[in-house]
Amino acid sequence: LVPSPTFKSSDRIHIARHPAMLASSDSDAKVERTGIIKGILGLFKRTAANRDTDVDVAVIGAGVAGLVCARKLSKAGLKVVLLEASDGVGGRVRTDKVDGFLLDRGFQVFIEAYPEVQNQLNYTALNLSRFKPGALVRCDGGFQLVSDPIRCPENIFPVLLSPVGTFWDKMRIGLYRLINPSKSLENIFNASETDTLEFLSSQLGLSKNIISKFFEPFYRGIFLAPLNDQSSRMFTFVFQMLAKGSTSLPSKGIGEISEQLASELPSDSIRLNSKVIGIVPQKGSTGPKVMIKGGDKVLCSAAVIATEGPQAFELLAKAGKPLDGFKKPPPPGRSSTCMYFSLPFPPPIKEPILILNGEGASFGRPVNNLTFLDRCAPSYAPKGKSLASVTIVGNPAIEDVELEKQVRSHLSEWFGAEKLKKWKMLGIYRIPYAQPPQILPSVEGKTGFDRIVSLGDGLFICGDHRNTATLNGAMESGRKAAEEVMASYMQSSS
């Protein structure tokens, strides 16, 4: 092994690479067809005679929430500028093309049943390829199948005979699988809340066997935290989404989600490499002023902060508006590390399915989950090769070379040392802020899943740190921020 050169592709994601590697919603459609909102807002746009305004709305941050917000405002007829500090749109939802491979910036899957996502994206254009439901769990010296017997009835007997969980665990999960999809989202997020470990053990009555072997690595891979740091409401929500629909990958990588959203914005509305360093809130008839590194300024009627939580807190603190009234920065985000390996031969697991470490991740054996992405979407790897995506929860405080050594040693136990010698490391993505922290208990408006959007003085905020820490939450937050901006325009006219 030789040291991997490292560089920053943005302020948030650290990428290391091997030396050898040099849908629109119905409501939007109605707005476009009628033009009513566009006409009304046009009456109240500021003119150069009484206000020096460059745009109607400045959206700060071109992640998914910012893209959804900017697109909705633009379709309503407002002049929008989308300011992004990095060299591309998407935030954490981006894909790099390396030697014919598609490397998403951290392992991500597309959950098709998310309701807000269904309203925002054109699924057909994404050309989705689907994973098999469930997972293969590495435990007891082999790979044990856990599957959904409703969608995969052919797997009923292998699942029943699997050492992952007891017979009664499987009966209880099967019953919950039948009941859960009928719950409304309102009921899910208004239900009494506990942590997921307590919910699984006490309310569902599941054994330590199935919790530790399956639920811990599966949901730790989703929420990047132990079960006792996860909300039972989020467990119930995501369980329902997985039961109602497939998980998949876009043929051009997860970044195609962001590209689709950006493609519906005017080409001159997105400004990359434009880091916002300060915001002056609205004062009287003067709207917010946005300062960009390098000296540029944007004058606007409204500014939407669509950055990650820490950046939003910092900008608002400088502006004298503490986020949610808190004077201290939010807790650190949840981190993850993703390693990609190319294989010069077909992978050892042929099915498009997630592989979980049911033996418990630890120092020296750090892998939480892995999958061979080309088994799901062949476009992720060149013909004749395979692409392994390996996830380590957290950001280990060791050098990349040592981490790679540990991962290779760990996976050698699963697939054999001789095979692992032929795996070529393509890149390591260390993502310190892969998800916002969502600390229990959920407090409406402050630490819950639907926090306030309008901050006053012409300032608004959105992002998955204001909603659920999911793609659905980011998109819903962006839409709601746009609606609040338009409502403020309407209110100012009355």
Side-chain angles (χ1 to χ4, degrees), residues 63-76:
V64 168
L67 288 166
V68 168
C69 181
R71 184 182 68 168
K72 188 170 183 66
L73 292 170
S74 181
K75 286 186 175 184

Side-chain angles (χ1 to χ4, degrees), residues 42-343:
L43 295 174
F44 303 101
K45 290 183 182 179
R46 310 295 186 182
T47 64
N50 60 16
R51 187 174 183 185
D52 183 11
T53 301
D54 292 336
V55 295
D56 295 313
V57 186
V59 178
I60 303 163
V64 168
L67 288 166
V68 168
C69 181
R71 184 182 68 168
K72 188 170 183 66
L73 292 170
S74 181
K75 286 186 175 184
L78 295 176
K79 184 178 181 182
V80 180
V81 64
L82 184 56
L83 304 169
E84 170 55 39
S86 73
D87 59 357
V89 300
R92 287 165 266 153
V93 186
R94 293 182 64 177
T95 301
D96 296 317
K97 297 179 180 179
V98 177
D99 292 348
F101 294 90
L102 298 180
L103 308 186
D104 296 329
R105 296 197 173 183
F107 173 61
Q108 302 174 59
V109 297
F110 185 74
I111 298 179
E112 296 181 22
Y114 280 150
E116 187 68 33
V117 178
Q118 290 177 346
N119 290 332
Q120 297 293 342
L121 295 176
N122 180 340
Y123 281 28
T124 302
L126 290 176
N127 191 21
L128 299 170
S129 298
R130 293 174 173 172
F131 285 97
K132 283 188 174 182
L136 287 176
V137 179
R138 175 68 185 190
C139 63
D140 300 316
F143 296 98
Q144 315 297 336
L145 180 65
V146 175
S147 186
D148 182 348
I150 294 178
R151 280 190 286 173
C152 299
E154 69 277 10
N155 291 332
I156 289 177
F157 290 110
V159 169
L160 286 175
L161 295 173
S162 166
V164 180
T166 67
F167 173 81
W168 292 112
D169 284 333
K170 293 157 191 177
M171 293 300 102
R172 293 184 178 103
I173 294 169
L175 179 61
Y176 185 69
R177 167 68 176 83
L178 292 173
I179 295 172
N180 174 278
S182 65
K183 295 177 180 288
S184 70
L185 295 184
E186 182 179 4
N187 287 340
I188 287 174
F189 287 104
N190 287 328
S192 60
E193 184 180 33
T194 184
D195 65 74
T196 297
L197 180 60
E198 177 70 15
F199 179 80
L200 293 172
S201 57
S202 297
Q203 296 192 32
L204 293 190
L206 301 181
S207 71
K208 291 182 179 180
N209 178 299
I210 198 163
I211 290 174
S212 63
K213 289 181 178 178
F214 174 72
F215 285 102
E216 177 69 34
F218 188 86
Y219 280 90
R220 192 182 182 98
I222 295 174
F223 294 117
L224 308 178
L227 293 176
N228 57 2
D229 284 338
Q230 299 176 25
S231 167
S232 58
R233 295 174 183 173
M234 283 304 299
F235 169 82
T236 306
F237 172 60
V238 172
F239 189 100
Q240 183 181 102
M241 295 300 102
L242 295 173
K244 283 186 170 182
S246 298
T247 57
S248 57
L249 292 172
S251 63
K252 294 182 181 179
I254 207 75
E256 186 62 16
I257 294 168
S258 306
E259 295 297 333
Q260 185 181 118
L261 294 170
S263 69
E264 297 184 33
L265 285 166
S267 58
D268 61 350
S269 67
I270 301 175
R271 292 175 57 177
L272 303 177
N273 301 305
S274 299
K275 184 176 181 178
V276 172
I277 58 174
I279 304 171
V280 178
Q282 176 178 320
K283 294 181 180 179
S285 61
T286 303
K289 183 189 299 181
V290 178
M291 281 82 74
I292 302 171
K293 185 177 181 180
D296 289 350
K297 298 176 183 177
V298 174
L299 304 181
C300 51
S301 297
V304 181
I305 303 169
T307 64
E308 293 173 347
Q311 286 74 37
F313 181 90
E314 183 179 350
L315 286 172
L316 288 168
K318 288 181 180 178
K321 296 182 71 68
L323 184 59
D324 296 328
F326 296 127
K327 295 184 179 180
K328 293 183 179 180
R334 294 173 176 174
S335 59
S336 72
T337 302
C338 181
M339 301 182 68
Y340 287 104
F341 294 90
S342 67
L343 285 66

